[in-house]
Amino acid sequence: MSVGHTGIRGAVLVLNAGSSSLKYQLVHPDTEVVSAEGLCERIGDLGSSITHEQNGTEVTEQIELPDHKTAFERVVALFAEGGIDLATAGLRAVGHRVVHGGRTFFMPTLVTEHVMSEIDRISTLAPLHNPANLIGMRAAGELLPDVPAVVVFDTAFFHGLPDAASTYAIDRGVATLHAIRRYGFHGTSHEYVSAKAAEFLGRPPTELNQIVLHLGNGASASAIRGGQPIDTSMGMTPLQGLVMGTRSGDIDPAVVIHLHRVAKLSAEQIDTLLNKQSGLKGLCGESDFRSVTQLIEQGDASAKLAYDVYVHRLRQYIGAYMLDLGRLDAIVFTAGVGENAAGLRADALAGLENFGIVIDPDRNAVRSKDPRRISADGGTVDVLVVPTNEELAIARQSAAVVAEA
Ligand code: AMP
């Protein structure tokens, strides 16, 4: 990463608090300049650490971080040591990424006590994530009380999914009572990337039908018609859909019952199995896509199977979304795997010439941080790689909310 140290006035501090981590970036929503960024890891655990980059210098310190508040206090101190007093720097906002907005939140929202208690109420839908997000909010509120705080929800972009796509075919009463429906996640990324793709193609988003493939440690696909999502692969939680680093994605729900009834696993154990020990990791022992690729090169049959299952699932979603959309203008790859794994991109779209989808091998091999087209001339579908930037998107949305307040 490369960060500078200019134009802090009006910047937004973007916070993404996980259950044991705190990721942050100080970015200016207008100039896009990143002044500093970092990551606190293993909060509340042994071996916690902070990596902080500011003024072009990266420091990593092993430091005891018993909770998020201590972590944020140390982050504020690291900023100060680098010459930025966050409390007086003229920040426009602190922008918090919140995973689950439930049925309540679908717009970026100013943080108030009421908003925090609502996010807390929704925590049953995201028991690992929303409580951590709240802790981050409280820590930032205490240390930077004069900076407006905004929450941006990962589910928001998918709020308007058509009922046919968002409804699970289970008892309506049970579903309604327990808020069980498909919410979709990675919304900030799907929204940002689809808008960038339209900009790159020089066409209004309202005219474009796109499939966006966000392939990182978590992975999701979406079908976007005229700027509005009409389907997405994640569901009530981020467990559904594509094969991921450690998450299973789609399985027969009866597997869960079987694991409980026959394998005698508890709900907690099944949760851990499907969220933390499945996906690529469950199939071949490695969750990192690069490690899986390395194992395949060494002839590892489990890694090859993991890759094949990953590609098979991905192609099924691409096929389904092509049909959903009717007419397809663009397929867009993003996130760690999507932006970097040229071989995966080629395999995901192999043999689709009859559908107007043809990847150009030379363009696909180019490595770049910029949006680019990797399809051959003459196909009817533009295949693009568009790097995602969730922090910038959160900073912009936060700044907009503060401007309107
Ligand atoms: P993200 O969650 O977006 O940070 O993506 C993380 C995933 O991207 C991990 O599985 C990485 O192995 C994968 N990734 C990052 N760089 C590369 C690369 N050069 N080639 C293949 N996969 C990569």
Side-chain angles (χ1 to χ4, degrees), residues 42-60:
R42 302 180 72 101
I43 297 171
D45 204 348
L46 293 175
S48 45
S49 65
I50 303 183
T51 302
H52 179 83
E53 184 179 353
Q54 191 172 339
N55 306 333
T57 311
E58 184 175 298
V59 288
T60 299

Side-chain angles (χ1 to χ4, degrees), residues 275-332:
N275 274 300
K276 302 264 170 69
Q277 297 161 355
S278 296
L280 296 173
K281 188 177 177 66
L283 288 170
C284 72
E286 293 286 352
S287 63
D288 189 286
F289 201 83
R290 281 164 295 194
S291 309
V292 175
T293 312
Q294 276 167 10
L295 282 179
I296 294 172
E297 282 162 9
Q298 292 159 14
D300 187 294
S302 308
K304 177 72 172 64
L305 176 64
Y307 182 83
D308 290 346
V309 175
Y310 185 102
V311 173
H312 178 75
R313 182 85 50 83
L314 185 57
R315 286 173 65 91
Q316 287 187 322
Y317 272 92
I318 294 168
Y321 290 173
M322 281 166 65
L323 222 64
D324 268 353
L325 290 166
R327 188 201 77 231
L328 179 62
D329 300 303
I331 297 177
V332 192

